[in-house]
Amino acid sequence: MSLFWRIFLLNSVVLVLVTGLLLGPVTVSSPVLPGEAALLVAGLAVVLGVNAFVLRIGLVPLQRLSRAMATVDLLHPGRRPSVTGPPEMADLITTYNAMVDRLERERALSAGRALTAQEGERHRVARELHDEVGQTLTAVLLQLKRLADRSPAALRGEARQAQEATRSSLDEIRRIARQLRPGVLDELGLASALRALAAEFTGHGLTARLESRGPLPLLADDVELVVYRVAQEALTNVARHAGADRVTLSVRATDHGTELLIHDNGKGIGPAEEGAGIRGMRERALLIGASLTLESSEGRGTRVRLWIPSGPASITRRSDEAHV
């Protein structure tokens, strides 16, 4: 029965009952006697109480829908209010759930296109840095070496300094190119890429280590790239904000999926809101149907867990990277 008819029929029953009482044993004198006034006030209180009870029961689904609308987050999919209540409420909740489903699909598609374009641009910039800028600096480095060898002793020191500065710039260019597009991921696979990533972040008081957790499944290219980018962003957050001196990466496979875990011994995230880096990791996880969870407490560091369930995303691709 709809909410309208519930309230209408209840009010009708109450009014018919009151009318019957007034036409029967209950009368109202003029002036009103104290007993009659008390009876009328009690009857009015009963009518109001019954109406309040029916309205509260009938509006519970609407209140639940309001809370769901206020707390909806497309980066945490799957949260839906249950479809209950009168037909109008059930239709409203069903329509809302369908709208959120559509928004999540559209957000995933748009985020996928944006991240694909971002990775393409990173690949182009990395290739140009490596092929154009890197080759130019290499040629300059060779010229400086010949110049240093032929220079007088008084100028040889300055030539050597220019040579070292150029070599440092070349190393920095190569490091930036590796961050933009991890060539080791394409050439040697996920295990080697994560090991190289851990080595890259080891230094300046931070030790990053990759733990072996048995054989890994052969994942599709886009899944491997998401795992690598999540690990890269998590390690970047540790190096910049955690104040940690140790961070551990582990990847393991189960019968139900693949897990990436990054755990540091820093100060934790605290009450601060999630930044762009964490939101970016969540968006990447959603692209491959994975879930990202963070656990943080003061003095015990932060745990970032990426869980990739077994399914169409875990497509076998290579045969030379079965173990970490």
Side-chain angles (χ1 to χ4, degrees):
M1 185 181 297
S2 68
L3 181 62
F4 169 79
W5 284 109
R6 288 185 181 186
I7 297 176
F8 177 78
L9 291 178
L10 179 62
N11 286 332
S12 298
V13 169
V14 172
L15 291 176
V16 168
L17 180 61
V18 171
T19 302
L21 290 175
L22 290 176
L23 294 176
V26 178
T27 59
V28 180
S29 303
S30 181
V32 180
L33 299 177
E36 296 174 344
L39 183 61
L40 289 176
V41 171
L44 179 61
V46 170
V47 172
L48 294 177
V50 171
N51 274 277
F53 176 77
V54 172
L55 286 174
R56 177 170 293 276
I57 295 299
L59 295 178
V60 164
L62 185 59
Q63 294 172 350
R64 187 167 58 250
L65 176 61
S66 177
R67 288 194 298 270
M69 294 175 69
T71 58
V72 66
D73 187 353
L74 297 182
L75 293 179
H76 297 80
R79 300 179 180 179
R80 303 288 185 274
S82 57
V83 181
T84 57
E88 298 96 332
M89 295 296 182
D91 291 343
L92 182 60
I93 296 175
T94 301
T95 302
Y96 168 77
N97 290 342
M99 179 191 69
V100 175
D101 290 339
R102 185 173 65 254
L103 289 175
E104 287 183 353
R105 289 193 300 268
E106 292 176 353
R107 180 184 178 90
L109 289 174
S110 61
R113 288 192 292 267
L115 291 176
T116 299
Q118 182 185 74
E119 289 297 335
E121 185 65 15
R122 284 184 172 187
H123 185 67
R124 184 189 67 80
V125 173
R127 185 175 60 249
E128 291 186 359
L129 286 175
H130 183 273
D131 296 343
E132 302 295 334
V133 181
Q135 290 181 5
T136 301
L137 287 177
T138 300
V140 171
L141 187 62
L142 293 175
Q143 292 175 358
L144 286 174
K145 183 179 183 304
R146 288 195 297 268
L147 180 62
D149 293 339
R150 298 174 183 177
S151 298
L155 298 177
R156 193 168 299 165
E158 295 182 5
R160 297 295 185 189
Q161 290 178 1
Q163 187 178 355
E164 290 301 320
T166 304
R167 182 178 290 111
S168 298
S169 299
L170 181 59
D171 292 340
E172 184 67 13
I173 288 294
R174 289 172 176 170
R175 185 189 66 81
I176 294 174
R178 286 195 303 269
Q179 287 184 339
L180 290 173
R181 184 64 184 182
V184 66
L185 180 63
D186 297 329
E187 298 169 3
L188 301 178
L190 180 61
S192 298
L194 291 178
R195 188 176 293 108
L197 187 65
E200 181 180 338
F201 277 88
T202 296
H204 303 288
L206 178 64
T207 301
R209 183 167 58 93
L210 176 65
E211 289 186 348
S212 300
R213 293 264 185 125
L216 292 180
L218 305 180
L219 303 174
D221 290 356
D222 56 343
V223 178
E224 286 189 348
L225 184 58
V226 167
V227 173
Y228 181 86
R229 290 302 187 197
V230 168
Q232 185 181 45
E233 184 62 38
L235 288 177
T236 300
N237 288 339
V238 172
R240 291 179 178 176
H241 309 297
D245 59 14
R246 186 176 68 256
V247 58
T248 303
L249 289 83
S250 63
V251 184
R252 68 183 183 95
T254 67
D255 295 337
H256 305 289
T258 305
E259 178 190 60
L260 168 69
L261 185 66
I262 303 100
H263 185 200
D264 67 75
N265 65 342
K267 60 185 179 181
I269 298 176
E273 295 184 357
E274 294 184 355
I278 297 178
R279 291 196 298 270
M281 288 192 289
R282 293 193 185 280
E283 289 183 349
R284 289 182 183 276
L286 291 178
L287 291 179
I288 58 173
S291 61
L292 185 87
T293 56
L294 281 83
E295 299 177 2
S296 179
S297 59
E298 186 176 356
R300 300 183 61 183
T302 302
R303 291 166 56 94
V304 179
R305 179 178 182 265
L306 177 69
W307 172 252
I308 308 166
S310 299
S314 300
I315 303 172
T316 58
R317 184 176 61 85
R318 286 188 288 260
S319 59
D320 57 349
E321 55 179 65
H323 292 79
V324 174

